[in-house]
Amino acid sequence: MTAFASFLFRIVVGGIFLIAGLAKISDSARFLLSLREFQLFPSTIERFLAVYLPWLEFVLGFFIMTGLLYRTASILLAVLSGIFTLAIISVMARGIVVDCGCFGLMADILKIPDAADIKAVVRNLIFIGMCVYVAAAKKSAFSLEGFIRSR
Amino acid sequence: MKRFLFEMVLILAISLFLSLLHNAVSPSGLRILPKREVGGQVTHESVSPGDDAKTGGAGEAPEGSR
């Protein structure tokens, strides 16, 4: 049961971040604009993050979905989601109304609400919970890591 | 712990490699370095044509050239 729940969470969290990463990779200029609205970093760091973060999300999502290095990837994803949550809380505290840029182009295509508000915080906390579960679970069904070890 | 650190560095490095590779080969890639010296003058590099249009930023044409 634990293994199947872990597999289910891997597919959900991994899939969401894989797609969100791809959407941002395809339009990194838009993601850069979202980052600028947060007013957290100097310009050079914003540019670097706009290039790096979408690929990090994509790679983490890929590893979690396939079940390769999934424990480490899910811990990293939990930390990343925690940082995103703190960033959203910081703009809420400063009274800045911005799009969180979480889903990039996908937000427009699928009409997903993408504002940096309390809903985004709750959503991120759910992702963190799922990631912690995946990292803590003793076994995960249908993982590439398990398959390699069994051979 | 050692294994976790190794895997963490591996994942971060793979992401960094892919992001820099994609940024280098993509025609609409962002320029990570903000400034570049061209012909003795320091100029700002554009983020991308789309970004410049939205922000009115570094890549805008100079006043007299319109």
Side-chain angles (χ1 to χ4, degrees):
Chain A
M1 185 64 196
T2 311
F4 187 73
S6 170
F7 165 68
L8 204 67
F9 288 163
R10 267 178 37 222
I11 295 298
V12 172
V13 178
I16 287 172
F17 275 85
L18 191 87
I19 293 167
L22 272 179
K24 287 179 209 163
I25 288 165
S26 63
D27 194 0
S28 39
R30 178 193 168 124
F31 184 52
L32 176 60
L33 291 177
S34 297
L35 276 177
R36 279 184 182 162
E37 287 177 340
F38 278 77
Q39 299 168 24
L40 284 172
F41 304 105
S43 173
T44 311
I45 294 177
E46 279 173 350
R47 282 165 189 256
F48 173 73
L49 290 178
V51 172
Y52 183 58
L53 283 182
W55 276 102
L56 183 60
E57 282 182 24
F58 175 79
V59 169
L60 289 175
F62 175 80
F63 275 126
I64 290 174
M65 268 193 96
T66 54
L68 194 65
L69 312 180
Y70 66 92
R71 285 180 208 279
T72 307
S74 53
I75 291 169
L76 282 177
L77 199 54
V79 172
L80 192 65
S81 296
I83 294 169
F84 288 159
T85 308
L86 289 178
I88 292 169
I89 290 171
S90 90
V91 288
M92 284 165 61
R94 284 179 288 158
I96 305 170
V97 180
V98 294
D99 275 354
C100 75
C102 308
F103 295 102
L105 277 177
M106 292 299 291
D108 287 346
I109 296 168
L110 298 178
K111 308 266 187 261
I112 304 168
D114 207 19
D117 56 7
I118 193 72
K119 283 181 198 165
V121 172
V122 172
R123 188 181 61 211
N124 280 354
L125 290 177
I126 293 170
F127 289 156
I128 292 171
M130 287 180 174
C131 287
V132 169
Y133 185 90
V134 169
K138 284 185 179 173
K139 270 188 175 181
S140 189
F142 307 113
S143 74
L144 206 56
E145 207 169 285
F147 175 74
I148 292 166
R149 278 188 185 161
S150 69
R151 289 177 66 90
Chain B
M1 189 65 191
K2 245 182 184 177
R3 190 188 155 191
F4 169 72
L5 284 174
F6 172 73
E7 288 179 0
M8 188 178 78
V9 170
L10 184 69
I11 291 171
L12 295 176
I14 290 170
S15 310
L16 184 64
F17 173 74
L18 288 173
S19 61
L20 293 179
L21 185 70
H22 174 250
N23 196 52
V25 299
S26 167
S28 62
L30 302 179
R31 298 286 175 266
I32 292 173
L33 295 171
K35 290 178 183 177
R36 183 176 59 180
E37 201 164 313
V38 180
Q41 286 185 322
V42 177
T43 59
H44 288 273
E45 286 191 13
S46 69
V47 172
S48 79
D51 183 42
D52 292 337
K54 287 174 203 162
T55 58
E60 263 193 326
E63 282 288 320
S65 66
R66 291 178 186 172

